[in-house]
Amino acid sequence: MVNANGSKSWKGVTTAAEACHLIDCGILLRWRDLRNMRRELKEGDEEVIIRHMARSLVERSTVRIQAEIIVESALIWLAHASLESLLNAFLEEFFGQARCDEACWPLVEIALTSELAETSHGEKIFEMAVALICELGLSLKEYAEAYPGEFNRADELLEYIGTYLLSVSNANSICVRLSLLHYFGVFEHGVVHKKFVNRVMSRFGHTALEHLFTLLFRKKSEGIALQFLLGNLPFVMEADHLAQRILHETFKTHMLKHPERFCLFMQAMTNELAEKEDTSFDIARKTLVQHLGAMLKIVSTVGHQQLARELFVCFLKFEQEPFFAEALQSLKTDADIRSQIMDILTNLMNPEADKPGRFQLGSVQPFRAAKRGRRPAFSRSTTTGTLHQVTFLGGVDIQRAS
């Protein structure tokens, strides 16, 4: 659009056609122009514009300065809107172009390394850059697995994306950390040696988990925190011994601090894994049982019988798993667990059932809520995408949440 002094500017744009013309002219979008512009646009115009940016990026990916302008403009728009639907529309259009395999390489580099001309909201734009490249990588991985060999140099590109994302893992932003935790968890799910997950857990695992569990025990954030944890903690349970030590310390702290609410979380986590028929989660299931055993030792030390009962119920949910007999025997012979605590397990087991070893959940008395007549439960949020979860959880001030 041409303003009063004859220069082309985003200020005053009211239609998708005007916005697409400015993209074609190579005019950089500014954050300050978006607030009024997004209000003036018709429904659906934002998607039209963001899709035009994706097409233009593929067309001009070989011209560095033009590619940088389009990438930064797209990131500013996506960060300002913070809508999963727009992010998905951008990637869908991007991957729909004939030369997208070549355009991926400069997109990754520009998004994660280029110096922004827009400095006023640099952190939010960078967080969106990381989220975009994470979704790009996961989309590429899914496509390459479904259609092997069709995407040119897919394995090399995925390694390239992983290396660049790992290079930004020292960022202090909790949004960046949660995006990386999710990306590498999904990316390396089922892989024996998890070089990326292990690295990010050693760098910021304690901080990220502490942030998530703090928000899990706050009413306004518990629904989203629970959703993120249920979806991503199984990936952490597949990681190395250092990651499990970090997870154990987090469990220990919040179990003793919030015993009632922690047990509700553990029940939800147990159900999530126990009900999965996917054998790729076998390692996570086995690791969770090991964590339950470690927590029972702590509970035995403090003599909290009700907490022990709830953890035993979670433990027994895995009775049908091949590793259960060994885990049960390990508990029974553990000298660190008091006999009074083990008696709870004995009482839960039902020797009169048709199948030996079956347990009776009817004998379990749930924790009483603080208010009479109200059963404790986590508020379940409507299912939301990863971008919404990360943006919401990363935007909560942990000091105020505490």
Side-chain angles (χ1 to χ4, degrees), residues 337-348:
I337 300 181
R338 296 177 182 177
S339 58
Q340 297 94 323
I341 297 296
M342 288 307 303
D343 286 343
I344 296 173
L345 176 61
T346 304
N347 292 334
L348 287 173

Side-chain angles (χ1 to χ4, degrees), residues 1-11:
M1 183 172 181
V2 180
N3 58 24
N5 61 14
S7 64
K8 294 176 180 178
S9 165
W10 284 86
K11 188 175 182 180

Side-chain angles (χ1 to χ4, degrees), residues 10 19 21-30 53-54 56-57 60-61 63-77 90 106-107 110-111 114-118 125:
W10 284 86
H21 175 67
L22 290 176
I23 294 166
D24 294 339
C25 291
I27 308 301
L28 178 67
L29 175 65
R30 295 289 183 179
M53 287 181 175
S56 300
L57 174 60
R60 306 178 188 187
S61 60
V63 184
R64 179 74 183 201
I65 185 64
Q66 293 183 19
E68 286 181 352
I69 291 171
I70 296 171
V71 170
E72 183 168 346
S73 296
L75 290 175
I76 289 171
W77 199 300
F90 179 88
L107 171 56
I110 292 169
S114 290
E115 186 175 346
L116 296 171
E118 177 67 73
I125 297 169

Side-chain angles (χ1 to χ4, degrees), residues 27-90:
I27 308 301
L28 178 67
L29 175 65
R30 295 289 183 179
W31 187 281
R32 63 175 177 268
D33 295 328
L34 264 176
R35 179 179 297 178
N36 292 331
M37 190 193 316
R38 292 184 63 218
R39 280 202 294 258
E40 294 294 329
L41 293 171
K42 296 178 183 178
E43 184 178 355
D45 277 356
E46 285 192 86
E47 183 173 327
V48 171
I49 295 166
I50 209 71
R51 285 181 179 275
H52 189 76
M53 287 181 175
R55 289 193 299 273
S56 300
L57 174 60
V58 175
E59 292 170 4
R60 306 178 188 187
S61 60
T62 56
V63 184
R64 179 74 183 201
I65 185 64
Q66 293 183 19
E68 286 181 352
I69 291 171
I70 296 171
V71 170
E72 183 168 346
S73 296
L75 290 175
I76 289 171
W77 199 300
L78 291 171
H80 193 282
S82 193
L83 293 173
E84 200 104 27
S85 57
L86 287 183
L87 178 61
N88 292 337
F90 179 88

